[in-house]
Amino acid sequence: MEETGRQGIKAKNIFISEELQETQKLMPISSDDRERLENSIKKEGLRDPVKVYQEGNKFFLLAGWNRLEIFKKINGEDAVIPSVILEGTKEEYKEFTINDNLERRHFTKEQKYALINYFLKKDPTQSDRHIASRTKVDKNTVSKKRKELLTRGEIHHVEKKDSKGRRIGEKTKKNNSSRLPIDKKANDTKLKARLKEINSEIKHLSKEKKDIEKKLKIVTKKI
């Protein structure tokens, strides 16, 4: 996803995107945080522009729901709000709204649990450690929630594999082929047989060499 421009847009012409609506329900702002945000905008103005994407002549909000609502409340819907225009895929827009809210929000324990469940249902192949880092919890908490969802049948079991395709947690079988005992007698027999073949070849080639040399001498005399 990339930024394609910045411009002022009338607040009433910005619509809430589907991606942000879903994320906002999952990660709502607390009343205390909203009050602090409103006081900040009243005192200092909008320090951080809202972020949108454009489809045709319409703009859809990706980040800044509460900032937009507070801005309209203070300045009116016809007021122009600073905006950053982004361009990407639907999946990138969704991921962006999640990451933006994760950076801005302080979550209760219940909200963190809801987020963990969301990430596990969205992609069960994500590791417990990765989800824990995103939701700022211990990986054991994620592991516990994963087991609960598996028990209820809300997610399916995923066989975790590393980058080489090996199952995580599975002990790698050691290759002991280099340590296998060598049958010296059998090996010596093979070597002796090969040596006999080589000697036979040498004897044959030696005879052939002498014949060729003999013929060459004869030819030389005639010349």
Side-chain angles (χ1 to χ4, degrees):
M1 192 164 68
E2 61 179 353
E3 179 181 324
T4 60
R6 295 184 176 226
Q7 68 181 71
I9 302 171
K10 282 190 176 182
K12 68 179 181 181
N13 292 335
I14 298 177
F15 303 89
I16 310 301
S17 67
E18 292 180 0
E19 294 83 6
L20 183 57
Q21 286 182 44
E22 184 177 347
T23 302
Q24 196 70 21
K25 290 176 184 177
L26 187 66
M27 295 181 273
I29 191 172
S30 68
S31 56
D32 288 342
D33 284 344
R34 184 181 171 91
E35 184 178 350
R36 281 193 288 270
L37 179 60
E38 184 169 344
N39 290 335
S40 173
I41 292 175
K42 284 179 179 178
K43 183 179 178 180
E44 304 175 23
L46 195 70
R47 292 183 296 177
D48 191 11
V50 298
K51 295 178 175 64
V52 303
Y53 68 87
Q54 187 174 4
E55 285 188 355
N57 296 322
K58 292 185 177 181
F59 297 94
F60 294 91
L61 189 68
L62 285 173
W65 184 321
N66 292 286
R67 279 172 284 155
L68 177 63
E69 292 302 308
I70 293 169
F71 182 87
K72 289 192 291 186
K73 177 182 175 181
I74 296 172
N75 302 290
E77 294 199 346
D78 285 322
V80 173
I81 185 169
S83 306
V84 174
I85 302 175
L86 302 172
E87 186 176 286
T89 65
K90 286 290 184 180
E91 188 60 32
E92 287 175 331
Y93 293 153
K94 180 64 176 294
E95 190 69 14
F96 178 83
T97 63
I98 292 171
N99 290 336
D100 182 75
N101 278 278
L102 283 172
E103 290 174 3
R104 295 175 181 274
R105 298 280 187 273
H106 298 288
F107 301 106
T108 64
K109 183 171 69 175
E110 289 71 23
Q111 287 174 327
K112 287 181 178 180
Y113 288 167
L115 279 171
I116 292 169
N117 288 346
Y118 170 81
F119 286 128
L120 285 171
K121 290 178 181 179
K122 181 173 180 285
D123 182 8
T125 64
Q126 294 183 86
S127 69
D128 295 345
R129 191 180 297 278
H130 176 67
I131 295 175
S133 68
R134 297 191 73 182
T135 54
K136 296 178 176 61
V137 300
D138 186 88
K139 69 180 182 66
N140 293 328
T141 300
V142 181
S143 179
K144 181 180 177 182
K145 289 297 173 185
R146 185 188 293 274
K147 289 176 182 176
E148 291 176 0
L149 293 177
L150 282 168
T151 301
R152 296 198 297 266
E154 295 183 40
I155 61 173
H156 61 277
H157 176 73
V158 176
E159 188 177 79
K160 299 177 184 178
K161 295 185 177 181
D162 63 16
S163 59
K164 294 183 179 179
R166 297 172 300 194
R167 287 190 298 177
I168 295 175
E170 181 182 36
K171 291 184 178 179
T172 305
K173 293 181 180 179
K174 294 181 179 180
N175 183 1
N176 293 320
S177 58
S178 60
R179 300 181 183 179
L180 292 175
I182 300 173
D183 189 336
K184 189 174 186 303
K185 187 175 180 180
N187 191 51
D188 286 351
T189 301
K190 289 180 181 179
L191 290 174
K192 287 177 180 178
R194 179 55 183 154
L195 183 59
K196 188 175 180 180
E197 290 176 359
I198 293 172
N199 286 332
S200 177
E201 289 175 11
I202 291 173
K203 187 176 180 181
H204 175 74
L205 291 171
S206 180
K207 185 177 181 301
E208 185 178 350
K209 178 185 176 187
K210 288 179 180 180
D211 289 341
I212 292 173
E213 287 176 342
K214 187 177 180 181
K215 289 178 181 179
L216 284 172
K217 287 179 181 179
I218 294 171
V219 173
T220 302
K221 287 180 180 180
K222 286 183 179 181
I223 294 172

